[in-house]
Amino acid sequence: MLSIFRRVMKCTQGATAVELTLITSIIAVAAIASMRSVSSKVTSVLSAVGPLN
């Protein structure tokens, strides 16, 4: 991820850098949203199975 960020920052074409930044941010938002959804579902399944202790 850091190498991609470095490549974007070194890019001399402004439009390409902006497009890559927008695509990266959209992917990040989608990943965070899906992780929250999966997390709540996993929590409900584990609580239905029984207590952890």
Side-chain angles (χ1 to χ4, degrees):
M1 186 70 183
L2 188 58
S3 63
I4 294 171
F5 180 72
R6 286 181 185 152
R7 255 189 291 153
V8 169
M9 296 311 290
K10 288 182 182 179
C11 186
T12 58
Q13 298 175 347
T16 304
V18 170
E19 290 169 356
L20 287 175
T21 304
L22 287 173
I23 291 170
T24 304
S25 61
I26 290 171
I27 291 171
V29 168
I32 291 169
S34 65
M35 286 180 212
R36 286 183 155 211
S37 173
V38 169
S39 171
S40 66
K41 290 178 183 176
V42 168
T43 302
S44 67
V45 168
L46 290 178
S47 64
V49 170
L52 294 176
N53 45 4

